[in-house]
């Protein structure tokens, strides 16, 4: 297909994703990256009244010029330049304080609790899909569009569903499990039918300077890539020393703070016992790092907190009471695994058909429909785990 054909197809796809009359006002969330910039450009060319909004979330030192960051100095400049090139109004909102409270402080506190957080989920859940949606409504927009690779579809019952994007290698549904039905009614995802090379091609065809800009990184507010340095600065008590203990009770050594460890970690334990050992549990109360063999990492079940539900049953509690089958995804890098929902004394849980690896408290567990694996049913944050052994 010609470049012109690609552009026409992309504009048609964007128009279909928005599903509103041409001329409707749509706020485009512009982070300064290629994806969100292309969304704004496609909506503008599709005939919508586009307003670009960029959030300044942090602004410190090396982040200003760090490749692959987002929502800091250079990215704000890129978003502003793109909006000027497109000829659309553009606003920059200072959300540094909200971002610190809802994302950065929560990130540091999670490590103190022996958890492994996913900060970009918190960012989507709070600052972007809660606070920014309010701004979009205040601007009189009928919808807000983002550059996420997910699909919004309307089910047979007329309710909005979230589904995986056509490019499964770019799919971001795991990171958006907390999107509520009300938010999904208002959100639009114009890149659902496009693959990343197509998006960059559209950006180049439009003459946008960000066409070859690197993608943003998961932890955008850690400019050095060393999150432990940030945690040490924000929560120095996390570096209190403690014992490294085998799950059979043996003391194997000492550590300089549980914030330096994550579930499943093997390297950097600095203990020699003649067998490969992995971190199986972190106990912040006793400051113990518990280690064991790899098979000890297998998880039979987990419990969830802060759940969200997009399925057909009225609530996730109803689905759990039925023992509804699900596909459970415990990390963005792992495929979903067969499981079922459970309900024990009011607590929502997930029981796996076979032992699951890579399960850590604080991570997200996204749930998909076994009968329709592209459909996201919701999920929650992992509160606790039950090992196979």
């Amino acid at each position: 297909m010609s470049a012109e054909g690609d552009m026409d197809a992309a504009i048609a796809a964007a128009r279909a994703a928005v599903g509103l009359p041409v001329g409707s006002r749509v706020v485009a969330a512009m982070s300064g990256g290629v994806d969100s910039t292309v969304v704004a450009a496609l909506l503008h060319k599709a005939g919508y009244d586009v307003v670009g909004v960029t959030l300044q979330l942090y602004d410190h030192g090396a982040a200003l010029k760090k490749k692959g960051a987002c929502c800091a100095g250079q990215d704000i400049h890129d978003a502003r330049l793109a909006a000027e090139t497109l000829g659309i109004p553009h606003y920059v909102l200072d959300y540094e304080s909200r971002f610190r409270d809802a994302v950065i402080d929560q990130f540091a506190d999670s490590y103190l609790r022996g958890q492994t957080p996913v900060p970009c989920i918190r960012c989507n859940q709070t600052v972007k899909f809660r606070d920014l949606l309010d701004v979009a409504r205040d601007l009189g927009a009928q919808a807000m569009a983002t550059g996420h690779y997910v699909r919004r579809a309307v089910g047979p019952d007329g309710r909005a569903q979230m589904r995986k994007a056509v490019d499964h290698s770019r799919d971001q549904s795991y990171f958006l499990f907390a999107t509520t039905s009300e938010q999904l009614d208002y959100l639009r995802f114009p890149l659902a039918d496009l693959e990343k090379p197509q998006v960059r091609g559209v950006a180049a065809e439009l003459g946008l300077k960000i066409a070859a800009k690197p993608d943003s990184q998961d932890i955008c507010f850690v400019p050095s890539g060393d999150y432990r340095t940030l945690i040490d600065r924000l929560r120095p008590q996390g570096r209190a020393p403690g014992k490294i203990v085998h799950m059979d009770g043996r003391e194997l050594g000492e550590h300089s703070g549980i914030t330096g460890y994550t579930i499943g970690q093997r390297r950097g334990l600095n203990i020699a016992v003649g067998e490969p050992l992995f971190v199986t549990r972190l106990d912040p109360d006793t400051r113990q790092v518990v280690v064991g063999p790899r098979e000890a990492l297998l998880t039979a079940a987990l419990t969830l907190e802060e759940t969200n539900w997009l399925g057909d049953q009225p609530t996730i509690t109803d689905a759990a009471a039925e023992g509804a089958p699900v596909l459970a995804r415990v990390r963005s890098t792992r495929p979903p695994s067969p499981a079922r929902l459970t309900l024990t004394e009011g607590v929502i849980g997930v029981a796996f058909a076979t032992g699951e690896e890579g399960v850590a408290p604080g991570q997200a567990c996204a749930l998909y429909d076994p009968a329709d694996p592209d459909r996201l049913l919701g999920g929650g944050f992992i509160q606790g785990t039950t090992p196979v052994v």
Side-chain angles (χ1 to χ4, degrees):
M1 185 180 291
S2 67
E4 183 178 352
D6 281 341
M7 181 65 69
D8 290 342
I11 293 171
R15 194 175 284 132
V18 172
L20 294 171
V22 171
S24 300
R25 173 165 290 184
V26 180
V27 160
M30 301 178 68
S31 68
V34 62
D35 296 323
S36 61
T37 302
V38 166
V39 163
L42 290 175
L43 296 181
H44 178 62
K45 291 187 74 67
Y48 292 104
D49 176 14
V50 182
V51 179
V53 175
T54 299
L55 301 181
Q56 178 176 316
L57 301 182
Y58 66 97
D59 194 359
H60 49 65
L64 296 179
K65 294 184 178 179
K66 175 185 175 235
K67 289 185 178 180
C70 74
C71 308
Q74 182 61 46
D75 306 283
I76 292 171
H77 171 76
D78 290 343
R80 182 181 289 119
L81 180 61
E84 183 178 328
T85 301
L86 295 171
I88 63 173
H90 179 248
Y91 299 94
V92 177
L93 307 178
D94 184 352
Y95 272 33
E96 284 192 48
S97 177
R98 299 188 198 193
F99 184 72
R100 181 183 179 96
D101 291 343
V103 181
I104 298 180
D105 284 345
Q106 194 276 340
F107 176 78
D109 288 339
S110 290
Y111 274 101
L112 278 186
R113 294 192 295 268
Q115 298 177 333
T116 306
V118 191
C120 51
I121 292 180
R122 288 292 183 190
C123 184
N124 289 325
Q125 179 189 30
T126 57
V127 177
K128 290 182 179 177
F129 282 5
R130 185 185 64 198
D131 299 340
L132 185 52
L133 259 65
D134 290 339
V135 171
R137 291 189 176 98
D138 290 343
L139 288 171
Q142 293 177 259
M144 187 178 88
T146 78
H148 290 100
Y149 285 84
V150 291
R151 179 190 303 278
R152 176 189 180 276
V154 179
D157 58 359
R159 296 171 58 222
Q161 299 178 357
M162 182 176 290
R163 305 179 65 82
K164 293 179 183 178
V166 66
D167 185 350
H168 280 193
S169 69
R170 302 290 304 179
D171 174 65
Q172 293 174 294
S173 58
Y174 172 85
F175 297 101
L176 300 179
F177 85 84
T179 307
T180 66
S181 292
E182 181 185 8
Q183 292 168 341
L184 196 53
D185 284 340
Y186 192 69
L187 288 163
R188 301 293 188 273
F189 308 105
L191 303 185
D193 290 322
L194 302 180
E195 297 186 352
K196 187 70 178 198
Q198 291 177 284
V199 173
R200 291 199 182 276
V202 168
E205 179 71 13
L206 292 171
L208 298 173
K209 293 186 177 180
I210 48 76
K213 186 174 181 177
D215 291 336
S216 60
Q217 303 300 311
D218 285 349
I219 307 180
C220 61
F221 55 87
V222 184
S224 66
D226 180 7
Y227 69 89
R228 288 170 182 163
T229 298
L230 174 68
I231 296 170
D232 289 347
R233 178 167 59 84
L234 295 177
R235 302 291 187 269
Q237 64 269 38
R239 278 304 190 185
K243 301 292 185 181
I244 298 177
V245 181
H246 195 283
M247 56 191 301
D248 64 11
R250 287 177 290 155
E251 286 190 9
L252 303 179
E254 296 187 350
H255 64 80
S256 57
I258 65 168
T259 55
Y261 299 87
T262 56
I263 302 297
Q265 179 177 335
R266 178 184 176 185
R267 298 180 182 277
L269 298 180
N270 295 321
I271 52 176
V273 293
E275 61 175 315
L277 293 176
F278 301 79
V279 176
T280 62
R281 185 167 59 87
L282 298 170
D283 190 333
D285 294 329
T286 62
R287 299 197 302 276
Q288 286 188 345
V289 173
V290 182
V291 299
R294 180 164 188 164
E295 54 266 28
L297 292 173
L298 287 175
T299 298
L302 57 84
T303 54
L304 295 176
E305 58 184 352
E306 296 183 63
T307 57
N308 181 55
W309 186 245
L310 298 171
D312 293 332
Q313 295 91 336
T315 67
I316 192 171
T317 301
D318 293 315
E322 298 173 6
V326 293
L327 294 173
R329 190 176 189 180
V330 296
R331 287 182 185 265
S332 64
T333 54
R334 288 189 63 81
S337 296
R340 61 180 178 86
L341 292 177
T342 62
L343 184 64
T344 306
E345 297 182 352
V347 177
I348 306 296
V350 175
F352 295 99
T354 59
E356 178 70 2
E357 287 191 1
V359 185
Q363 290 276 304
C365 177
L367 306 172
Y368 299 85
D369 186 350
D372 185 4
D374 279 356
R375 183 184 177 188
L376 177 74
L377 298 178
F381 288 101
I382 299 170
Q383 182 181 48
T385 61
T386 301
V388 170
V389 293

